[in-house]
Amino acid sequence: MPKTKQQHLDREAGPKRILALDGGGIRGILTLEYLAAIETHLRDRYKNRELLLCDYFDLIGGTSTGSIIAAGLACGMTVDALKKLYRGIGTDIFQESFWRRGLLAPKFDSDALQHALDAQLGADTVLGGDRIRTGLMIMTKRLDTGSPWPLHNHPDAPFAKQDGALRLTQVVRASTAAPTYFKPEEITISARDGHTVNGAFVDGGVSPFNDPALQLLMLAALNGHGFRWQSGHDRLLLISAGTGVFKATYSTEQILRMPAAEQGVRSLQSLMDDCGRVNHGMLQWLTRCLTPWSIDRAVTDMLADSQGGPQLATYARYNVLLETAWLKDKLAIDRSTDAVAKVAAMDDPSNMDELAGIGALAAKVQVKPEHFPQAFDIA
């Protein structure tokens, strides 16, 4: 019989399993191929074709597009159902009009996204409600105060009563509110002294946690968040799935000739890349890393650092590099530089089939049974 949410959250019932899902717009369809491989593996392992990822993972968290997937999984959706949801979002919502170019108005209609989320997750579902079957964290950012907000459903959190009453789909919509793509989400926040204030929330990807894995590890282990789960390589399992990494590069001459506004945008994009690399490096240092990636040419894959580090969790990271050489070497996909740049666009639904194909090939290579050690088997 599947665990209850209370059993998933119970700090005395370990070990614990965590699933982290990156932001990345329509490229979330790539993430779903990793999840399909994980779901199939777990169903085969436990000889249960009805097993859901919310039965296995005790905490699921996501940023932006990853928050849509995380919320769906935590509410008991299958990966196939989420694939259908994504196809609908891509077809119906990521449609740019002449009057919505992202400069004077957001490119896309946030109301359409809200309606799609309400239909799938329930307009009245609240973050602390019983429809959510396991631990859930939605990463967003309150732009009016400039503070990252990891909203979650643990009842022992300092703000559990206030946060638990927030509508799930509104919180998810806030996490997807990428500046220039969707308008910010205005949420009324109840303070502990009884008064209320309105906050302007935007995409969690403009915090340091577009990849929310490090935030989820802190959420689980630090006293202040309420979980207070025991850390250790045999006590916490952290599985992280990305949406593909793409870095546009420019010559020195191109940078110097850019208008100041464009230089600012490129700098912010580079800062987000820096945050992702720092998060990834920190996790490979702090955990027993089963999938060492090269962080940079100085520290390389940090395998020795992982082996000699504190090993606060066992950690596996799945992702693809949207680079011509990497795709050809790792997945035998031969694409020109221009073709790779096109498929990397986060708001083009015509890319979904190709992204899903890349994800399926990557999952076949990267997702391995040994990434789910027997120490973390469910009863």
Side-chain angles (χ1 to χ4, degrees):
M1 185 174 181
K3 290 182 181 180
T4 65
K5 179 171 63 177
Q6 289 70 29
Q7 288 171 324
H8 279 296
L9 296 176
D10 183 0
R11 65 181 62 90
E12 302 299 327
K16 298 297 187 183
R17 296 153 288 265
I18 304 171
L19 177 63
L21 306 171
D22 286 18
I26 206 69
R27 295 201 320 238
I29 199 78
L30 188 155
T31 303
L32 287 167
E33 295 300 329
Y34 285 122
L35 298 180
I38 295 170
E39 186 182 69
T40 297
H41 164 69
L42 294 175
R43 287 178 171 183
D44 290 344
R45 173 179 284 194
Y46 299 115
K47 298 179 173 57
N48 178 2
R49 305 313 302 170
E50 304 300 318
L51 184 140
L52 302 169
L53 292 185
C54 68
D55 298 330
Y56 182 81
F57 288 101
D58 302 291
L59 174 60
I60 303 174
T63 300
S64 192
T65 197
S67 76
I68 299 175
I69 302 173
L73 293 176
C75 286
M77 291 181 70
T78 64
V79 176
D80 277 345
L82 277 161
K83 287 182 179 182
K84 291 176 184 176
L85 173 61
Y86 253 77
R87 296 285 178 173
I89 288 174
T91 302
D92 300 336
I93 295 167
F94 281 88
Q95 299 296 331
E96 181 182 352
S97 73
F98 176 80
W99 300 107
R100 305 174 70 90
R101 296 294 180 89
L103 296 175
L104 300 179
K107 291 177 70 173
F108 305 113
D109 182 3
S110 57
D111 290 339
L113 177 57
Q114 185 70 63
H115 293 326
L117 294 172
D118 286 345
Q120 289 294 326
L121 302 176
D124 297 327
T125 302
V126 294
L127 188 58
D130 290 337
R131 180 165 181 180
I132 300 173
R133 297 170 52 169
T134 190
L136 174 64
M137 187 278 288
I138 304 298
M139 191 68 222
T140 187
K141 180 169 182 173
R142 188 173 166 189
L143 194 58
D144 56 307
T145 61
S147 51
W149 278 48
L151 292 163
H152 62 86
N153 65 342
H154 200 290
D156 292 343
F159 303 102
K161 183 177 179 180
Q162 298 93 315
D163 294 349
L166 297 175
R167 289 197 303 116
L168 174 62
T169 57
Q170 189 178 31
V171 171
V172 171
R173 224 293 292 168
S175 182
T176 64
T180 76
Y181 288 91
F182 295 102
K183 68 180 182 181
E185 181 73 8
E186 185 177 4
I187 299 179
T188 301
I189 305 298
S190 298
R192 281 183 288 185
D193 64 6
H195 80 281
T196 61
V197 63
N198 291 340
F201 287 82
V202 296
D203 194 321
V206 298
S207 78
F209 304 113
N210 188 60
D211 169 359
L214 181 60
Q215 175 68 87
L216 283 161
L217 179 60
M218 293 190 294
L219 198 78
L222 298 180
N223 283 326
H225 293 294
F227 287 79
R228 296 192 288 275
W229 288 348
Q230 185 178 349
S231 62
H233 67 82
D234 58 346
R235 305 302 298 170
L236 289 179
L237 174 66
L238 177 58
I239 302 293
S240 174
T243 58
V245 175
F246 176 76
K247 294 183 181 180
T249 57
Y250 306 91
S251 68
T252 300
E253 184 178 5
Q254 286 175 309
I255 292 292
L256 294 176
R257 288 184 176 181
M258 282 181 183
E262 186 176 358
Q263 290 177 354
V265 170
R266 302 304 174 201
S267 297
L268 288 174
Q269 290 173 336
S270 179
L271 180 60
M272 290 179 67
D273 291 339
D274 293 343
C275 288
R277 184 169 61 252
V278 169
N279 279 2
H280 198 182
M282 289 288 289
L283 284 165
Q284 292 192 177
W285 176 28
L286 296 174
T287 69
R288 174 181 284 182
C289 181
L290 304 180
T291 55
W293 288 75
S294 179
I295 302 301
D296 58 40
R297 283 178 287 186
V299 299
T300 63
D301 65 9
M302 300 181 64
L303 184 58
D305 301 290
S306 173
Q307 292 172 344
Q311 300 199 347
L312 300 178
T314 292
Y315 169 62
R317 169 72 171 170
Y318 308 131
N319 209 359
V320 302
L321 302 186
L322 294 171
E323 302 170 354
T324 54
W326 191 94
L327 290 171
K328 187 171 185 179
D329 179 53
K330 302 297 184 181
L331 304 180
I333 295 174
D334 195 359
R335 295 288 187 276
S336 68
T337 301
D338 288 344
V340 172
K342 179 184 180 301
V343 80
M346 292 188 289
D347 59 351
D348 187 350
S350 69
N351 292 331
M352 285 194 291
D353 286 340
E354 187 167 6
L355 286 166
I358 292 171
L361 287 172
K364 189 177 295 186
V365 172
Q366 294 177 355
V367 178
K368 299 178 180 179
E370 55 264 35
H371 298 162
F372 303 85
Q374 290 184 353
F376 296 96
D377 277 354
I378 55 177

